[in-house]
């Protein structure tokens, strides 16, 4: 995305609040207009009041100035309220939009990005983008008005002195442009190093156990210091640059005022200009030269906003999961992989022309060595990824056609990688479904969790990702979750790898009772389960090497025997 496109998208964002912006601009216009009267009033205070000796007029004019200040403050309040409102609304809109998008992103995004990095990028970018409604941005509009008004004031008072002011403008422009360019470079560097830091931070905190076990805290601390120093350096450079910017700005304004005083003094002594006019002129010249910084500073402001806008929309343009969107109610039918091929990385095929039939209501096991593609098949069946070739059918319908919500209502996965939210056992099992405790307790009994629940209760908070539980307890919660959600297709992904022999028997029992009517797909190498399923599919390096019943395969397939031996 180029700068033009980023600005266009930002303007579209503001367009949603155009009515409020019109009110703000009207407020700015009125208050700048009133402010512009002040130097003219001051001139009369000086010339007719003090020098002309008209005390009554002087008091009237001073009171008029005070009234203008009071009205301006009131207008300012109204304007600020509206502006803060827009800024908050933009921030909320962007946060909402990005969260919804993040949740719909394809899972491969999460393989390369950790939470800290995602949170940091989104927060930084949204903060920067919402600053488009900052007081400084609207200040630029005020400044543009006051520059135009100030210019009129200058021409009214004296054309010769005005030429001096006009000559000063290009000099200031050149200096300011240099600063804006420098600022952009440093800002880009700062953003990218803070992003790198967030990525590193998320990775390090995620691996805190390894840091402890392998005693690499010292090394990690060295990395931390190195990254922090880099970021602090960038921050220092930014602060110093804006200091230099301010200093140079005020030196230049000072030089101009000095020249104006000298030229003004000559004109006063030659009786060609009044004292009040010189003071009013100097005030107007500040109205003209001051805004140059603010107006050119828009580049300075945008130098932070534009890169963030580009990055935010690059994130928003990342591909979401494809949702067929068809909202027809699905019912249980055969699940069929037809010549399915798949690659995570270009041309590196993990599955090659795989044909598998998971018959409706029957139990099928998928076995194969590590890396043979078993989990990949589950990823495809749950629509986390899409086949590169071939198709997956539920009955006659391609599973990519129904809406994701509709389709995922058909499939449960009981996996060794279950994620548990930092919440109670009850909430982790029900996941927002309203269920009576008696039903939950039955599910817990059937999943072998009953004794543990008696010990700690359903209200036990499991910690982040179930940190307060054992691997086996987590898997049993996964099973209870699947039983409660009662979907027609259940996939067990090495679901008994962490459970004890007793629980394994219990799960086995379920296949013939609670799960009797369901289509069950099991990835396991446990003989106890393999001997009970209807069919076994043997995968080898991404192709189906054999399919058959247990009794058939046991005689002809060495792979099955080796796998079962290892598992036991
Ligand atoms: P299995 O479940 O049979 O052990 P997987 O289906 O998990 O095997 O993996 C099959 C192959 O795909 C492996 O070689 C693995 O390295 C690769 N793989 C798995 N997930 C990804 C991924 N997200 N990106 C790239 N390669 C992957």
């Amino acid at each position: 995305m180029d700068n033009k496109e980023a600005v266009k998208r930002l303007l579209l964002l503001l367009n949603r609040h155009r009515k409020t912006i019109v009110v703000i601009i009207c407020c700015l216009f009125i208050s700048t207009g009133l402010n512009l009267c002040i130097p003219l009033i001051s001139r009369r205070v000086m010339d007719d009041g003090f020098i002309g000796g008209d005390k009554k007029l002087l008091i009237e004019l001073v009171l008029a100035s005070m009234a203008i200040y009071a009205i301006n403050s009131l207008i300012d309040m109204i304007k600020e309220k509206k502006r803060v409102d827009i800024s908050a609304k933009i921030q909320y809109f962007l946060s909402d939009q990005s969260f919804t998008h993040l949740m719909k992103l394809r899972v491969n995004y999460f393989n390369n990005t950790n939470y800290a990095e995602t949170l940091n990028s989104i927060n930084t970018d949204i903060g920067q983008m919402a600053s488009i409604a900052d007081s400084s941005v609207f200040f630029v509009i005020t400044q543009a008005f006051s520059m135009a008004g100030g210019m009129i004031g200058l021409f009214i008072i004296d054309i010769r002195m005005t030429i001096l002011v006009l000559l000063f403008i290009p000099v200031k422009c050149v200096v300011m442009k240099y600063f804006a360019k420098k600022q952009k470079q440093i800002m880009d560097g700062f953003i990218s190093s803070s992003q790198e830091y967030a990525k590193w931070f998320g990775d390090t905190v995620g691996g805190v156990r390894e840091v402890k076990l392998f005693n690499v805290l010292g090394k990690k601390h060295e990395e931390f210091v190195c990254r922090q120093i880099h970021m602090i350096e960038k921050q220092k450079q930014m602060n110093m640059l804006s200091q230099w910017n301010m200093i140079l700005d005020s030196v230049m304004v000072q030089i101009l005022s000095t020249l104006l005083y000298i030229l003004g003094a000559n004109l006063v002594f030659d009786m060609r200009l009044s004292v009040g006019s010189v003071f009013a002129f100097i005030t107007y010249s500040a109205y003209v030269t001051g805004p140059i910084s603010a107006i050119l500073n828009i580049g300075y402001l945008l130098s932070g906003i534009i890169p963030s806008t580009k990055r935010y929309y690059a994130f928003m343009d990342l591909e979401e999961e494809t949702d067929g969107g068809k909202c027809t109610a699905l019912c249980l039918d055969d699940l069929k992989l037809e010549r399915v091929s798949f690659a995570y990385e270009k041309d590196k095929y993990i599955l090659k022309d795989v044909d598998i039939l998971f018959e409706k209501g029957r139990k099928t096991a998928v076995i194969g060595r590590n890396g043979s593609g078993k989990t990949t098949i589950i990823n495809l069946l749950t629509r986390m990824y899409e086949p590169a070739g071939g198709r997956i059918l539920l009955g006659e319908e391609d599973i990519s056609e129904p809406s994701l919500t509709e389709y995922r209502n058909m499939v449960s996965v009981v996996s060794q990688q279950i994620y548990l939210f930092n919440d109670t056992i009850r909430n982790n099992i029900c996941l927002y479904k309203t269920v009576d405790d008696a039903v939950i307790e039955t599910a817990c009994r059937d999943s072998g969790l009953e004794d543990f629940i008696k010990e700690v209760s359903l209200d036990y908070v499991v910690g982040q990702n179930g940190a307060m539980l054992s691997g086996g307890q987590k898997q049993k919660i996964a099973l209870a979750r699947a039983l409660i959600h009662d979907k027609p297709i259940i996939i067990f992904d090495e679901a008994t790898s962490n459970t004890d022999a007793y629980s394994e028997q219990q799960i086995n029992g379920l296949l013939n009772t609670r799960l009797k009517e369901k289509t069950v797909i099991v990835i396991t190498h446990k003989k106890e389960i393999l001997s009970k399923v209807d069919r076994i599919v043997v995968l080898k390096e991404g192709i189906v090497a054999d399919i058959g019943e247990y009794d058939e395969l046991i005689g002809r397939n060495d792979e099955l025997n080796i796998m079962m031996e290892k598992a036991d």
Side-chain angles (χ1 to χ4, degrees):
M1 185 191 292
D2 57 11
N3 287 357
K4 220 166 127 187
E5 178 65 21
V7 171
K8 204 170 126 192
R9 292 220 186 175
L10 268 176
L11 291 177
L12 275 176
L13 205 59
L14 284 176
N15 193 35
R16 307 161 65 88
H17 307 282
R18 56 186 178 280
K19 282 189 190 150
T20 321
I21 291 174
V22 168
V23 174
I24 294 177
I25 291 178
C26 287
C27 290
L28 291 175
F29 192 72
I30 298 169
S31 73
T32 316
L34 289 173
N35 263 336
L36 282 167
C37 300
I38 300 282
L40 289 180
I41 295 175
S42 305
R43 176 165 81 165
R44 288 204 64 195
V45 168
M46 181 69 75
D47 291 343
D48 302 337
F50 284 112
I51 298 172
D54 189 341
K55 193 171 154 192
K56 186 168 163 280
L57 180 73
L58 193 146
I59 291 172
E60 278 170 8
L61 290 172
V62 170
L63 286 176
S65 299
M66 206 181 83
I68 289 176
Y69 281 124
I71 294 168
N72 260 351
S73 305
L74 189 69
I75 294 174
D76 228 35
M77 279 283 292
I78 298 169
K79 179 209 79 189
E80 266 309 282
K81 193 176 169 305
K82 298 272 174 204
R83 187 196 62 73
V84 169
D85 198 42
I86 294 182
S87 183
K89 279 184 177 155
I90 290 180
Q91 198 135 3
Y92 174 75
F93 171 77
L94 293 174
S95 305
D96 186 33
Q97 190 186 45
S98 55
F99 176 74
T100 313
H101 178 64
L102 182 69
M103 289 290 128
K104 288 184 180 173
L105 279 179
R106 288 167 180 272
V107 282
N108 51 1
Y109 169 80
F110 302 94
N111 294 340
N112 300 315
T113 326
N114 66 48
Y115 312 131
E117 186 188 359
T118 306
L119 183 69
N120 178 65
S121 312
I122 292 180
N123 277 354
T124 313
D125 294 343
I126 290 179
Q128 284 283 350
M129 287 169 76
S131 71
I132 191 74
D134 248 15
S135 49
S136 40
V137 173
F138 286 106
F139 180 65
V140 171
I141 301 173
T142 325
Q143 296 287 283
F145 286 152
S146 88
M147 194 173 180
M151 196 69 89
I152 296 169
L154 291 184
F155 275 109
I156 293 173
I157 298 175
D158 189 80
I159 192 88
R160 288 151 299 192
M161 297 220 301
T162 306
I163 292 169
L164 185 63
V165 175
L166 291 180
L167 288 176
F168 175 78
I169 293 175
V171 179
K172 196 165 174 191
C173 282
V174 171
V175 175
M176 295 308 302
K177 263 204 151 139
Y178 169 80
F179 276 104
K181 201 171 147 199
K182 267 263 177 256
Q183 161 90 355
K184 186 178 170 335
Q185 282 168 357
I186 298 175
M187 192 73 177
D188 281 352
F190 178 74
I191 288 179
S192 81
S193 67
S194 85
Q195 235 174 358
E196 280 300 312
Y197 172 72
K199 189 177 188 148
W200 174 88
F201 187 83
D203 198 37
T204 304
V205 174
V208 68
R209 280 169 188 275
E210 273 59 33
V211 171
K212 288 176 191 289
L213 280 174
F214 290 89
N215 280 327
V216 289
L217 181 62
K219 288 283 167 208
K220 284 287 171 199
H221 190 248
E222 273 172 30
E223 284 176 12
F224 170 81
V225 170
C226 181
R227 283 170 192 274
Q228 279 293 315
I229 288 177
H230 190 64
M231 273 178 26
I232 289 169
E233 269 312 310
K234 295 272 173 213
Q235 188 88 57
K236 263 164 60 183
Q237 280 177 4
M238 277 203 302
N239 291 345
M240 281 317 292
L241 195 75
S242 50
Q243 275 306 316
W244 272 111
N245 185 0
M246 270 163 53
I247 291 169
L248 253 161
D249 191 20
S250 70
V251 167
M252 284 193 296
V253 168
Q254 211 48 55
I255 292 171
L256 179 70
S257 305
T258 311
L259 291 174
L260 287 176
Y261 272 116
I262 295 169
L263 187 61
N266 278 320
L267 292 171
V268 170
F269 294 139
D270 289 349
M271 302 292 227
R272 282 188 279 166
L273 208 61
S274 69
V275 177
S277 296
V278 172
F279 282 106
F281 189 91
I282 288 173
T283 312
Y284 278 132
S285 81
Y287 282 2
V288 173
T289 56
I292 297 173
S293 325
I295 290 168
L296 287 174
N297 263 346
I298 192 87
Y300 205 71
L301 289 172
L302 290 179
S303 65
I305 298 174
I306 298 289
S308 279
T309 308
K310 284 187 189 171
R311 220 184 7 254
Y312 177 84
Y313 284 111
F315 165 74
M316 289 305 293
D317 289 342
L318 289 177
E319 226 182 319
E320 292 185 356
E321 293 178 305
T322 33
D323 191 342
K326 216 164 109 184
C327 281
T328 44
L330 294 170
C331 51
L332 186 58
D333 210 328
D334 289 348
L335 198 54
K336 218 173 343 173
L337 271 72
E338 264 185 14
R339 299 182 65 81
V340 167
S341 54
F342 178 78
Y344 289 102
E345 288 157 38
K346 203 166 181 276
D347 297 334
K348 223 175 131 189
Y349 280 91
I350 303 296
L351 298 177
K352 300 146 207 158
D353 285 338
V354 169
D355 285 301
I356 306 177
L357 172 68
F358 298 106
E359 278 180 272
K360 167 184 168 181
R362 313 210 61 185
K363 322 290 172 246
T364 310
V366 181
I367 68 160
R369 296 181 184 217
N370 279 344
S372 58
K374 304 178 297 291
T375 307
T376 305
I377 289 183
I378 295 177
N379 285 338
L380 296 177
L381 288 175
T382 48
R383 285 176 63 181
M384 295 294 165
Y385 292 89
E386 283 158 40
R391 52 188 196 151
I392 304 176
L393 302 170
L394 180 65
E396 293 305 313
E397 186 158 32
D398 194 315
I399 63 163
S400 62
E401 281 175 20
S403 76
L404 275 169
T405 320
E406 203 72 52
Y407 179 74
R408 288 194 179 140
N409 272 337
M410 299 290 290
V411 190
S412 271
V413 178
V414 183
S415 153
Q416 53 178 332
Q417 287 167 350
I418 180 190
Y419 187 88
L420 294 183
F421 296 98
N422 194 356
D423 203 338
T424 58
I425 293 181
R426 178 190 285 100
N427 290 345
N428 267 297
I429 291 177
C430 298
L431 278 184
Y432 300 96
K433 189 173 173 177
T434 319
V435 186
D436 287 343
D437 272 8
V439 179
I440 304 174
E441 278 156 18
T442 311
C444 289
R445 194 192 61 220
D446 291 344
S447 63
L449 201 62
E450 195 180 22
D451 289 345
F452 182 62
I453 296 296
K454 276 189 189 145
E455 219 177 283
V456 296
S457 95
L458 282 171
D459 293 315
Y460 184 69
V461 176
V462 302
Q464 190 176 334
N465 195 13
M468 321 268 279
L469 304 177
S470 72
Q473 286 158 350
K474 281 172 76 174
Q475 283 191 347
K476 287 172 188 173
I477 291 184
L479 178 58
R481 193 187 263 179
L483 294 176
I484 288 288
H485 287 265
D486 197 29
K487 300 182 186 179
I489 302 168
I490 298 197
I491 302 171
F492 289 91
D493 182 4
E494 306 209 27
T496 56
S497 61
N498 280 325
T499 48
D500 46 47
Y502 167 75
S503 316
E504 203 177 298
Q505 272 180 8
Q506 201 163 17
I507 292 169
N508 230 338
L510 282 176
L511 294 179
N512 295 317
T513 52
R514 256 185 107 147
L515 307 179
K516 197 167 188 302
E517 303 297 316
K518 305 201 183 288
T519 303
V520 176
I521 301 167
V522 205
I523 293 181
T524 183
H525 295 136
K526 305 266 173 141
K527 185 175 174 184
E528 186 69 28
I529 297 175
L530 289 173
S531 60
K532 301 279 182 334
V533 297
D534 298 303
R535 276 186 351 139
I536 300 172
V537 178
V538 184
L539 270 188
K540 198 171 178 185
E541 292 170 10
I543 56 169
V544 177
D546 209 345
I547 298 187
E549 289 179 15
Y550 177 78
D551 292 337
E552 285 172 58
L553 291 189
I554 198 82
R556 71 171 186 236
N557 197 299
D558 292 343
E559 195 90 0
L560 174 65
N561 290 313
I562 298 169
M563 292 288 170
M564 288 194 304
E565 255 172 51
K566 279 192 184 160
D568 294 332

